[in-house]
């Protein structure tokens, strides 16, 4: 008898990654293609189909594929569509779930990428066995997924869990969403870069970060500078963590989760972000919630969290 | 054949109210006793039992009582206990659900008072048929209940939905919880009173409110002054509504509810609080959520919302 496996797909603005994942969360085979090389929706769906067929052939003698789980930005989970994604090679409303299901002949689920990472953490990572938790993805923006009673909070229109667009500074930094002071303008790879530039304007201390243009500077550069002891970079992490902990206190009184997990590129900085966030969260937690929720790093590698989460959509359903 | 009815109980710091409620949410009989006249937990439970027995006798020829639903502050819904309530005549952890169930011989449910009002709004009020909504109670403090997929969000320890203790002003007003800047220090009967006193310190304009001591002044006085056109009172409502709308925007991006309802004493001010709150919410709602959630007044009279909600606990289960 063949073993069971599923295909997880992580649709991103740069690359689309696919993997065959077994029931223990092990990645058996991988594949990927350049998202931007596709021209339009049908070309994009064809690229997915080709990759799925090719992956399936690699394990056809040993594994039965149960279905396809897809994590993607800007998707409507209820309708199974992607529309208006800023970084994908199509702008129309594309019925991705239906098209992939039809063309690959496999049961398909499509879920928002931030929710997918939260689901994956519960299936294969640090949230195993938890019914109430949240996961925050610190990438270019700040994504989040919240699990209540074992289910992702989707809301009335499939739009819930936009923690990155809760407010943290009244009339604060301009956000891409049109508002001011959204959390992700302070806490994300882009947010910490903005903080570094603000600090460069406030302090006179020298720093290797003063050699970068805004376009050049990445969160990785800031992390490396902080690890080398750079004052500005350390200060930027401290402020970012403090702000994050302050807002996670809101999440905790609203959802009373067992734990909150940090994932994404900026979480790779580990204690640089986690320590000040924990300290700030502890300080801002009201008495009745003290000691009830943990703030932790995701246990899934940030590279594969979305892929594993996408795969777990099929195992869970 | 007898008709069906349930007993709803609203335990408050001043009075404990009881009612027999039929399946359409009509109150058939009422009763109440002075909470503070009871001395200790067993006296309190005896008072409830006596009132239940007496109420039951009044309808014994026409109605069968299905059970007892209780809304109370400071309760642990999972354990069925009340403990550490600031305004109740006992301080020990009291297994209220079990004691009432045993002594009245009726199936009993015990739920946090803010959640009870939210459940009641769904059963008998403006949220009928909605699966995702929130209710905010503006009383001495700010309570809230959030319904996701038709169920109250309780969280991992039964503590969720403390919207009143999310932060709205960094290092803002001292809160009874020990933190600073909690929403309820600005938006509640007490919060608007604090705002009136702040405004009296900032403006020189005369106002009838300047004749009240802090202890004397009530939200009702402020409402009456505003209705009579008093500048300070109107300004206080404007600021209170603005702050409320600003924070409801956070609720909306997190929960994506179909509607948010306002209840409690301060909501009796109607458009005085609703209009500036709606305007602020509209202004602070990000594009993808525009027009998706309504802010409304509760359709249950604020006097009976908790009673009806408590009764609905039994109809729902």
């Amino acid at each position: 008898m063949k073993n069971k496996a599923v295909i997880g797909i992580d649709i991103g603005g740069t690359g689309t990654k696919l993997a065959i994942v077994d029931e223990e969360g092990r990645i058996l085979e991988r594949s990927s293609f350049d998202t931007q090389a596709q021209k339009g929706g049908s070309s994009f769906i064809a690229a997915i189909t080709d990759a799925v067929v090719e992956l399936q052939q690699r394990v056809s003698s040993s594994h039965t594929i149960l279905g396809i789980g897809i994590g993607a930005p800007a998707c409507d989970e209820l309708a199974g569509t992607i529309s208006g994604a800023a970084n994908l090679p199509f702008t129309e409303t594309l019925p991705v779930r239906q098209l992939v299901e039809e063309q690959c002949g496999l049961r398909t689920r499509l879920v928002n990428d931030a929710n997918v990472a939260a689901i994956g953490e519960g299936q294969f990572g640090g949230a195993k066995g938890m019914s109430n938790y949240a996961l925050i993805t610190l990438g270019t923006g700040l994504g989040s997924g919240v699990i209540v009673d074992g289910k992702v909070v989707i809301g009335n229109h499939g739009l819930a869990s936009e923690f990155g667009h809760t407010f943290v500074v009244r009339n604060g930094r301009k956000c891409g969403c049109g508002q001011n002071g959204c959390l992700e303008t302070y806490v994300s790879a882009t947010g910490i870069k903005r903080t570094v530039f603000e600090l460069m304007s406030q302090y006179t201390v020298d720093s290797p970060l003063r050699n970068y243009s805004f376009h050049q500077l990445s969160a990785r550069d800031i992390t490396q500078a902080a690890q080398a002891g750079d004052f500005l970079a350390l200060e930027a992490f401290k402020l970012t963590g403090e702000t994050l902990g302050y807002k996670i206190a809101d999440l905790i009184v609203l959802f009373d989760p067992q734990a909150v997990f940090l994932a994404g590129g900026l979480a790779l900085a580990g204690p640089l972000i986690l320590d000040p966030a924990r300290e700030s969260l502890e300080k801002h937690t009201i008495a009745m919630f003290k000691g009830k929720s943990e703030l932790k790093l995701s246990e899934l590698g940030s590279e594969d969290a979305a892929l594993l989460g996408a795969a777990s959509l099929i195992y869970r359903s």
Side-chain angles (χ1 to χ4, degrees), chain A:
Chain A
M1 205 182 83
K2 289 186 192 177
N3 293 310
K4 290 170 185 167
V6 305
I7 293 177
I9 305 181
D10 172 19
I11 297 179
T14 311
T16 293
K17 297 187 286 184
L18 301 90
I20 295 192
V21 180
D22 74 7
E23 287 176 287
E24 276 72 47
R26 284 179 299 235
I27 291 181
L28 307 179
E29 297 285 345
R30 289 174 187 274
S31 168
S32 67
F33 61 85
D34 179 354
T35 304
Q36 295 303 329
Q38 314 310 315
K39 302 293 166 221
S42 51
S43 153
F44 181 69
I45 296 292
I48 287 182
T49 308
D50 291 347
V52 164
V53 169
E54 192 271 325
L55 270 179
Q56 222 177 339
Q57 282 168 352
R58 290 195 224 166
V59 299
S60 61
S61 61
S62 57
H63 287 77
T64 305
I65 304 297
L66 302 176
I68 300 173
I70 306 176
C75 63
D76 179 332
E77 302 187 7
L78 303 171
T81 58
I82 298 181
S83 58
N87 304 311
L88 297 185
F90 53 88
T91 50
E92 75 273 24
T93 296
L94 197 67
V96 172
R97 184 176 64 203
Q98 185 198 335
L99 292 172
V100 170
E101 195 158 81
E102 283 172 5
Q103 297 185 21
C104 299
L106 286 165
R107 182 163 63 96
T108 299
R109 284 197 60 195
L110 174 71
V111 169
N112 190 285
D113 45 12
N115 289 339
V116 150
I119 292 168
E121 196 70 33
Q123 183 81 14
F124 300 122
K128 246 185 224 175
M130 292 186 186
S131 298
N132 294 281
Y133 64 94
L135 181 133
I136 297 168
T137 305
L138 304 171
T140 309
L142 186 156
S144 63
V146 182
I147 310 290
V148 166
D149 271 353
K151 286 177 61 185
V152 181
V153 176
I154 291 179
N156 200 50
H157 315 86
L159 299 174
S161 288
E162 287 285 350
F163 186 47
H165 295 286
T166 61
F167 298 120
V168 68
V169 176
R170 193 107 187 217
N171 300 316
R173 292 179 182 167
K174 274 273 171 217
C175 184
C177 77
Q179 294 290 334
N180 295 77
C182 291
L183 181 59
E184 74 171 27
T185 67
Y186 296 86
V187 182
S188 65
T190 316
I192 195 169
K193 185 161 90 165
R194 293 170 81 163
T195 299
V196 164
F197 273 70
E198 187 179 339
L199 290 172
M200 289 198 291
S201 78
Q202 291 173 331
Y203 287 90
T204 56
V205 60
D206 200 14
S207 159
L209 300 180
R210 292 195 191 265
N211 295 311
Y212 291 81
S213 73
F214 191 87
H215 282 315
Q216 283 171 334
L217 188 67
S218 72
R220 188 183 298 247
D221 298 324
I222 303 168
T223 303
Q224 284 169 353
Q227 283 163 344
D230 179 64
F231 170 80
L232 284 187
L234 286 167
E235 193 65 15
F237 269 107
K238 202 178 123 205
L239 291 173
T240 305
E242 272 175 7
T243 303
L244 177 58
Y246 174 74
K247 274 308 275 193
I248 290 178
D250 270 17
L251 267 195
I252 286 182
V253 298
L254 288 173
F255 291 101
D256 180 19
Q258 193 171 345
V260 176
F261 295 88
L262 301 182
L266 203 56
L268 295 177
L272 284 171
I273 183 91
L274 188 62
D275 290 352
R278 276 185 172 156
E279 193 179 320
S280 171
L281 174 59
E282 172 66 22
K283 181 178 155 196
H284 292 107
T285 298
I286 71 176
M288 64 193 283
F289 285 88
K290 291 260 191 227
K292 297 227 161 76
S293 289
E294 284 183 286
L295 180 59
K296 313 173 82 166
L297 295 175
S298 162
E299 290 184 11
L300 304 179
S302 73
E303 287 297 306
D304 291 333
L307 265 178
L308 292 171
S312 70
L313 295 174
I314 298 299
Y315 286 124
R316 282 167 54 101
S317 64

